[in-house]
Amino acid sequence: MNFQPPSPTVQISGVRKSFGAVRAVDDVSFDVYPGEIFGMLGPNGAGKTTTIRLMLDIFRPDAGTVAVFGGAMNEKRRTASATCLRNGECTAIRSWRRRWSTSPS
């Protein structure tokens, strides 16, 4: 059996968001994989909250792409995200951990 690493749970690629003349997020890219603990650090006004709002489809990016659970945020993904936040762990992560623990070394 060939082990395939998991797909990223969150993919942010080249995201940009402006509000008038203020560029809140400028060319941000990162991936978050199942099982990772991820945080965003920065001073006030660095774009942390705006990036999270882009991930949740509260704001739309001016440029770049946002994918959560493999695609654009929709009601099904929004429900899955809320479940993950409430439970502290996703079904996808549990599934990946099962595959990982049974894969050959």
Side-chain angles (χ1 to χ4, degrees):
M1 168 174 31
N2 290 337
F3 175 72
Q4 295 295 321
S7 299
T9 303
V10 176
Q11 288 181 290
I12 307 290
S13 181
V15 170
R16 188 171 63 234
K17 179 66 179 173
S18 296
F19 299 97
V22 176
R23 183 159 293 171
V25 176
D26 189 15
D27 195 28
V28 171
S29 298
F30 60 84
D31 294 337
V32 181
Y33 287 87
E36 286 186 333
I37 297 172
F38 182 85
M40 290 188 285
L41 303 174
N44 292 343
K48 302 175 300 291
T49 301
T50 300
T51 301
I52 291 170
R53 288 178 177 164
L54 291 164
M55 288 168 43
L56 296 174
D57 200 37
I58 295 169
F59 295 151
R60 298 288 169 104
D62 298 332
T65 59
V66 176
V68 178
F69 296 115
M73 184 61 77
N74 59 25
E75 196 56 41
K76 183 177 178 181
R77 289 185 177 95
R78 201 172 274 113
T79 300
S81 297
T83 301
C84 285
L85 293 172
R86 262 195 320 277
N87 297 340
E89 187 173 358
C90 298
T91 302
I93 293 171
R94 286 193 300 273
S95 172
W96 174 77
R97 285 184 179 155
R98 274 194 302 276
R99 284 194 314 269
W100 178 260
S101 65
T102 59
S103 66
S105 300

